[in-house]
Amino acid sequence: LIFLRHHIDDGLKYEYLTVKNPLELWQNLNDRFEQLKAVVLPKALNDWSQLRFQDFKTVSEYNSTLFKIVSQLKMCGEVIIEDMLLEKTYRTFHASNMLLQQQYRLHEFTKYRELIGSLLIAEQNNELLLQNHESRSTGSAPLPKVNATSSDFRGRGRGRGCGRGRGHGSGRNQNFLGPRNNNSMKWQNPDTKQRQKWRNPGQSSKDEQTQNKKGNCNRCDMEGHWYRACRTAKHWVDLYQASLKENDKRI
């Protein structure tokens, strides 16, 4: 009783919940679904007649559909033998595979599983053959092989040896280089600013002028210009410098 109630539909569980005898439950289910064979049989016979091997893309799809129909026919009381399965497969080959169908007949298979096994192996070999053909078509030259000497030279070109190389060696050289994208580890050359001045003097003068605008001129103590661009008269500059010297003496 537990087994029957475990496998029947939920709706049937509530319908036959009061039945306590397993024989009574089985008879009730049999009386209710006995006419199901008469409903399934016509459709199964029609599917069997319409089943063709050429309508499926793969052997596995055809095999699963075939056994689904055969199980329905056996449930309805129909007898399906091995010769019927073999003949159904042979007769439904595509017209372009007529020679292939004759070759399979010459093998004289007695079991349907033997025929399906051969078809699966042939299908797999054909797929591999097509993949190899698509990767490199007939008559095309193969890809050139990588020169091992040039690849080794490129891999070791950055260093100067195994022990103290400057490229990918281990130790303090690698730690000194550090990550390339880390801004905190960048090393700046003190001559960089001087080189930038020689390359673009106008840009460097503008930068210095912008920086000096924040304070007073060291020559005349005036705002709005820098030391080299100072145009204040000389006697005013002398007076300012003299006042600075007097302030230093007072201090």
Side-chain angles (χ1 to χ4, degrees):
L1 185 63
I2 295 174
F3 181 80
L4 290 174
R5 288 182 176 177
H6 178 73
H7 289 281
I8 62 177
D9 188 74
D10 292 338
L12 296 176
K13 289 181 182 180
Y14 293 106
E15 184 175 351
Y16 298 101
L17 187 62
T18 58
V19 180
K20 302 299 182 181
N21 188 0
L23 179 60
E24 184 181 357
L25 176 60
W26 177 260
Q27 291 176 352
N28 292 335
L29 293 174
N30 188 27
D31 294 338
R32 179 167 181 175
F33 296 100
E34 186 178 7
Q35 68 276 9
L36 184 62
K37 296 180 181 180
V39 177
V40 174
L41 182 59
K43 185 177 183 302
L45 291 174
N46 182 60
D47 293 340
W48 173 259
S49 62
Q50 298 295 329
L51 181 65
R52 297 188 302 175
F53 180 71
Q54 63 178 353
D55 294 338
F56 296 87
K57 295 182 179 181
T58 61
V59 179
S60 299
E61 293 178 0
Y62 167 77
N63 190 38
S64 61
T65 305
L66 175 69
F67 277 110
K68 181 180 178 181
I69 298 173
V70 169
S71 63
Q72 292 177 355
L73 291 174
K74 289 181 177 180
M75 184 188 69
C76 296
E78 296 292 328
V79 179
I80 305 296
I81 59 177
E82 295 289 335
D83 292 338
M84 297 175 63
L85 300 177
L86 292 171
E87 198 64 27
K88 167 62 74 172
T89 306
Y90 288 144
R91 290 185 179 182
T92 56
F93 267 70
H94 196 271
S96 60
N97 297 327
M98 186 181 299
L99 181 61
L100 185 63
Q101 179 257 145
Q102 294 177 2
Q103 291 177 356
Y104 278 109
R105 281 183 179 273
L106 293 176
H107 283 82
E108 297 181 355
F109 293 109
T110 58
K111 300 291 184 181
Y112 172 75
R113 57 181 177 82
E114 297 176 355
L115 174 60
I116 289 298
S118 299
L119 291 174
L120 289 172
I121 294 173
E123 183 183 32
Q124 185 66 26
N125 292 333
N126 291 335
E127 290 180 358
L128 294 176
L129 184 65
L130 291 175
Q131 290 177 3
N132 294 331
H133 176 73
E134 292 175 357
S135 61
R136 184 169 69 88
S137 58
T138 306
S140 61
L143 297 175
K145 295 182 179 179
V146 179
N147 192 348
T149 305
S150 61
S151 62
D152 293 340
F153 177 75
R154 293 177 182 176
R156 297 178 296 178
R158 297 184 179 180
R160 293 187 177 180
C162 300
R164 52 180 182 178
R166 297 184 180 180
H168 299 282
S170 60
R172 60 180 182 178
N173 292 332
Q174 184 177 1
N175 296 330
F176 175 75
L177 292 176
R180 297 183 179 179
N181 296 328
N182 191 357
N183 295 328
S184 62
M185 297 295 292
K186 289 184 178 179
W187 176 78
Q188 295 182 355
N189 192 350
D191 297 333
T192 304
K193 295 183 179 180
Q194 186 66 24
R195 293 177 182 175
Q196 291 178 355
K197 291 180 181 179
W198 285 103
R199 292 177 182 175
N200 194 355
Q203 184 67 25
S204 61
S205 62
K206 290 180 181 180
D207 296 339
E208 292 181 6
Q209 186 174 2
T210 304
Q211 184 178 0
N212 288 329
K213 282 182 179 180
K214 298 179 181 179
N216 298 335
C217 176
N218 294 330
R219 186 168 179 266
C220 63
D221 198 29
M222 299 293 292
E223 297 181 355
H225 62 275
W226 53 295
Y227 178 83
R228 296 183 181 181
C230 182
R231 299 183 180 277
T232 307
K234 187 177 181 304
H235 62 281
W236 292 112
V237 174
D238 294 338
L239 290 174
Y240 172 70
Q241 296 296 334
S243 64
L244 291 178
K245 293 179 180 180
E246 292 178 359
N247 292 333
D248 293 338
K249 291 179 181 180
R250 292 175 183 176
I251 295 171

